[in-house]
Amino acid sequence: MSKSAELARLIRSRAGEAPVTLGLILGSGLGHLAGAVDGAAIPYGDLPGFPHAGVSGHNPNLVVGELNGVRVAVFGGRAHYYEKGDPAVMRLPLEVLKELGAGLVIATNAAGSLDLRMPTGSIMCLSDHINFSGLNPLIGEPTDARFVPMKDAYDPALRARLRQAAATEEVEMAEGVYAWYSGPSFETPAEIRAIRMLGADAVGMSTVPEVILARFLGLKAAAISTITNMAAGLSDEAISHEHTKAMAPIGAVKLETVLRRFLRDL
Ligand code: HPA
């Protein structure tokens, strides 16, 4: 039995047999939504091979249960490339999600804004991404499945549903292009000017490898950023992980409202 099938069996033994519809990956400062799920919280430490999510502001549990009437698997924390240098660090969790029956995954993250009309506290639904890291989680994958098309990687139908949910709840939600920067250092102002010219609207250190992996596995994907700061050089605002964690809850309230409506209407 594959490692992901074994882990899915273990998770089902603790959280129940019903298949999961959707996976939710929670970013920095967004971990509390995991606590809103009516279900079983399984510490990553109980799931052999699961990456240790070692970033403060993350909640390293997989929570499987009901959220607004939908059976979900919520990753309370994610592992990042910059922790160990592995761009495929989220591959096993996503494989397990698929084993649990999910066909959809929504990633959330904290990001810096490159657009002055999208200030701190905004949320942005990703329409596309720029892989500014040059890394790819599928390097080394031996099968032809590695040649994953990335047009419409952020599923247009899911995005339309998220837009509709935001409109119903009267939450302003921008749409834009997210650039993946490896981290863990923040970008320089020159790097921000460069990716702005390339067409990015927001920048962050996650999500892109997960969406590549999700598409590789045949999962439909969507992602939403909470803007925790203006990117380097665009304002006098401090840029730090402390600031990210302090500002994430502003956008997180909006994000949670949109996600809960999205789930209710699914
Ligand atoms: N850059 C990269 N990652 C981030 C930022 C940023 O400005 N803010 C929150 N995560």
Side-chain angles (χ1 to χ4, degrees):
M1 196 189 288
S2 70
K3 205 166 179 177
S4 53
E6 258 174 54
L7 284 172
R9 192 148 84 170
L10 189 156
I11 291 162
R12 280 195 295 265
S13 76
R14 289 180 54 175
E17 293 294 324
V20 162
T21 301
L22 175 138
L24 199 54
I25 302 173
L26 302 180
S28 292
L30 306 170
H32 93 278
L33 192 55
V37 177
D38 182 13
I42 306 170
Y44 286 179
D46 292 359
L47 300 170
F50 252 53
H52 177 74
V55 184
S56 63
H58 287 247
N59 166 359
N61 286 289
L62 173 64
V63 188
V64 178
E66 292 259 322
L67 187 62
N68 291 102
V70 177
R71 185 134 169 105
V72 295
V74 178
F75 297 92
R78 63 150 62 79
H80 302 79
Y81 165 73
Y82 60 71
E83 290 170 57
K84 295 261 171 69
D86 178 9
V89 64
M90 288 298 285
R91 180 163 172 164
L92 183 63
L94 286 162
E95 286 173 344
V96 168
L97 181 63
K98 187 176 177 180
E99 285 287 345
L100 292 172
L104 315 173
V105 61
I106 298 183
T108 65
N109 60 56
S113 170
L114 279 69
D115 182 345
L116 296 171
R117 293 164 304 180
M118 193 167 66
T120 299
S122 309
I123 59 172
M124 182 189 94
C125 185
L126 276 63
S127 57
D128 204 344
H129 74 225
I130 295 172
N131 184 348
F132 196 60
S133 74
L135 301 158
N136 196 297
L138 297 176
I139 290 173
E141 165 61 36
T143 68
D144 278 358
R146 64 190 160 186
F147 300 114
V148 180
M150 290 299 290
K151 180 170 180 291
D152 290 336
Y154 298 83
D155 188 73
L158 277 182
R159 279 162 50 205
R161 280 177 175 274
L162 287 165
R163 272 199 304 273
Q164 182 58 53
T168 304
E169 294 293 336
E170 298 181 354
V171 172
E172 202 176 322
M173 182 172 71
E175 270 207 298
V177 174
Y178 173 96
W180 176 31
Y181 186 77
S182 72
S185 60
F186 285 99
E187 305 75 30
T188 64
E191 285 162 346
I192 292 301
R193 284 195 299 276
I195 54 177
R196 206 174 169 193
M197 275 193 278
L198 294 176
D201 301 298
V203 60
M205 303 177 191
S206 68
T207 301
V208 167
E210 294 145 33
V211 169
I212 294 171
L213 287 165
R215 296 307 300 135
F216 169 69
L217 295 169
L219 299 167
K220 288 185 178 168
I224 304 180
S225 295
T226 63
I227 300 300
T228 55
N229 56 278
M230 296 309 294
L234 294 184
S235 87
D236 294 333
E237 195 178 14
I239 299 180
S240 68
H241 188 55
E242 287 311 311
H243 186 77
T244 296
K245 285 190 291 181
M247 293 300 141
I250 305 172
V253 173
K254 299 178 188 171
L255 195 146
E256 183 172 333
T257 304
V258 173
L259 282 177
R260 283 175 177 272
R261 167 58 58 190
F262 167 87
L263 292 173
R264 242 179 248 134
D265 294 347
L266 199 63

